[in-house]
Amino acid sequence: KAKSEGRSTFHFFEPGMDAELQQRRSIEAGLRLALQRNELRLVFQPLLGVPENRVTCVEALLRWDHDGRTISPTEFIPIAEETGLIVPVGEWVLREACLSAASWPGDVRVAVNLSPIQFKNRDLVGTVRNALAEARIPATRLELEITESLLLNENETTLRALHELRAMGVRISMDDFGTGYSSLSYLRSFPFDKIKIDRSFMRDLGDRADSQAIMQAVIGLGKSLGMTTTTEGVETERQLQLVRDLGVDEVQGFLFSPPLAPAALANLLHSDHIKVLTQKKAS
Ligand code: C2E
Ligand code: MG
Ligand code: MG
Ligand code: MG
């Protein structure tokens, strides 16, 4: 009986696994051509300074238009990482993001997500320097967002690159803080300027006392370490009020703006839309 069950399981799962593998292969093949076919684009989501009530920074988020649909980075970034395609793709993102930032007001920074794999490329610092030079923006206008997984490969090369970038004036953010298992020790080992608290803590902030306690503790921790604290995923006025009361420095989320196409973002930056919105909320 066991044998026949095993066999039926085998037959049941194999076609599904084939389909999944095929899907990956097709994403991989498509991704190889995405750059030359101009299928990649960036969208931009503002981060708001809470005390200043203005856009302090804008995060660049990658999109891939392929076969008539838009593929999410959560779907293709892992494949780009496994195949090494993240290196040319990531370089394109850096250049494109810096070029976009060149047309924004000079006090608005641009945040770019970096994959751990990009740190294995020995010339990451040179790549960043070139992107800044090409766009003619100062290093102080660039922030690099790194998720905790990177730091699992804690090593000399990564550390040296982070220190060199910081010495140039680039800011380093820890993205999705609280989702990895070594967040605290990483804060000690790596030179971060900013902590972005993961969206999952924001999601149940209103209903769960523990999420609120964690949020409060992390904001306090960031402050005492001299880091900027940011909360992602602010979707409601109530969430905004809660994190504002906890003393967060910066907020990001659908309440203010979803990720926008470049022209829409430029309009927003050159209008007082967000300023008016947050002043209204403050009163
Ligand atoms: P992330 O860096 O944590 O980016 C924030 C994600 O949360 C974005 O998803 C954004 O659209 C979404 N988001 C922002 N505000 C809200 C909100 O209020 N509610 C909800 N539910 N979601 C919100 P997106 O654009 O799908 O990106 C997903 C992840 O893909 C990013 O997470 C980042 O880790 C990765 N990614 C995106 N672009 C790049 C890139 O150029 N390079 C690399 N290496 N990774 C990227
Ligand atoms: Mg990010
Ligand atoms: Mg994040
Ligand atoms: Mg995330």
Side-chain angles (χ1 to χ4, degrees):
K1 184 159 188 270
K3 198 176 173 188
S4 72
E5 262 176 14
R7 190 171 295 154
S8 68
T9 305
F10 177 77
H11 285 295
F12 180 75
F13 278 111
E14 203 185 26
M17 284 170 67
D18 262 6
E20 197 175 300
L21 195 67
Q22 250 164 23
Q23 160 90 346
R24 287 183 68 87
R25 291 252 167 83
S26 113
I27 288 189
E28 190 183 320
L31 203 50
R32 279 183 201 286
L33 298 170
L35 270 175
Q36 66 203 65
R37 287 182 178 165
N38 286 320
E39 293 177 346
L40 297 180
R41 65 186 163 91
L42 295 181
V43 289
F44 297 94
Q45 189 180 30
L47 279 69
L48 269 79
V50 171
E52 307 96 308
N53 267 338
R54 64 166 189 87
V55 179
T56 47
C57 183
V58 174
E59 181 174 8
L61 295 159
L62 189 55
R63 297 291 180 267
W64 177 23
D65 299 318
H66 183 61
D67 275 352
R69 69 169 183 128
T70 299
I71 306 180
S72 154
T74 54
E75 209 175 317
F76 68 85
I77 293 280
I79 298 173
E81 289 178 332
E82 281 167 37
T83 53
L85 286 167
I86 192 67
V87 173
V89 167
E91 191 169 332
W92 180 86
V93 171
L94 259 171
R95 293 177 57 203
E96 194 70 13
C98 289
L99 286 171
S100 298
S103 68
W104 304 341
D107 56 357
V108 178
R109 291 189 297 272
V110 60
V112 175
N113 292 285
L114 274 197
S115 157
I117 311 296
Q118 291 176 267
F119 277 83
K120 292 191 180 140
N121 164 15
R122 298 212 161 246
D123 201 28
L124 176 65
V125 176
T127 301
V128 171
R129 217 188 290 277
N130 289 341
L132 291 167
E134 190 185 352
R136 299 170 193 234
I137 60 167
T140 49
R141 286 190 61 196
L142 178 65
E143 294 189 359
L144 297 175
E145 298 193 359
I146 303 165
T147 51
E148 289 173 58
S149 64
L150 151 73
L151 310 162
L152 294 174
N153 327 300
E154 180 172 341
N155 62 43
E156 274 306 304
T157 320
T158 302
L159 254 186
R160 191 171 321 119
L162 286 176
H163 281 291
E164 264 181 68
L165 289 165
R166 265 192 117 201
M168 284 162 56
V170 174
R171 289 175 202 227
I172 312 290
S173 306
M174 187 191 273
D175 205 350
D176 304 332
F177 183 86
T179 54
Y181 31 70
S182 301
S183 315
L184 292 181
S185 65
Y186 290 144
L187 281 186
R188 215 174 34 178
S189 329
F190 293 91
F192 289 102
D193 300 283
K194 181 189 281 192
I195 299 174
K196 293 186 83 174
I197 305 167
D198 192 65
R199 205 163 69 215
S200 55
F201 296 103
M202 179 61 69
R203 204 170 40 219
D204 37 35
L205 196 59
D207 342 298
R208 288 185 52 165
D210 52 359
S211 282
Q212 198 162 332
I214 290 169
M215 188 71 88
Q216 181 166 16
V218 174
I219 291 170
L221 177 72
K223 277 196 194 306
S224 46
L225 292 172
M227 297 172 184
T228 301
T229 52
T230 302
T231 48
E232 37 175 54
V234 180
E235 293 180 356
T236 67
E237 304 246 3
R238 175 156 161 69
Q239 289 173 330
L240 174 64
Q241 199 53 56
L242 284 167
V243 292
R244 194 201 291 274
D245 291 346
L246 294 177
V248 81
D249 299 306
E250 210 175 48
V251 288
Q252 177 180 22
F254 295 162
L255 178 62
F256 313 104
S257 173
L260 299 171
L265 188 265
N267 278 341
L268 184 146
L269 289 180
H270 293 103
S271 75
D272 283 336
H273 175 76
I274 282 199
K275 203 168 169 185
V276 169
L277 184 73
T278 54
Q279 275 165 357
K280 200 178 72 202
K281 288 185 196 316
S283 61

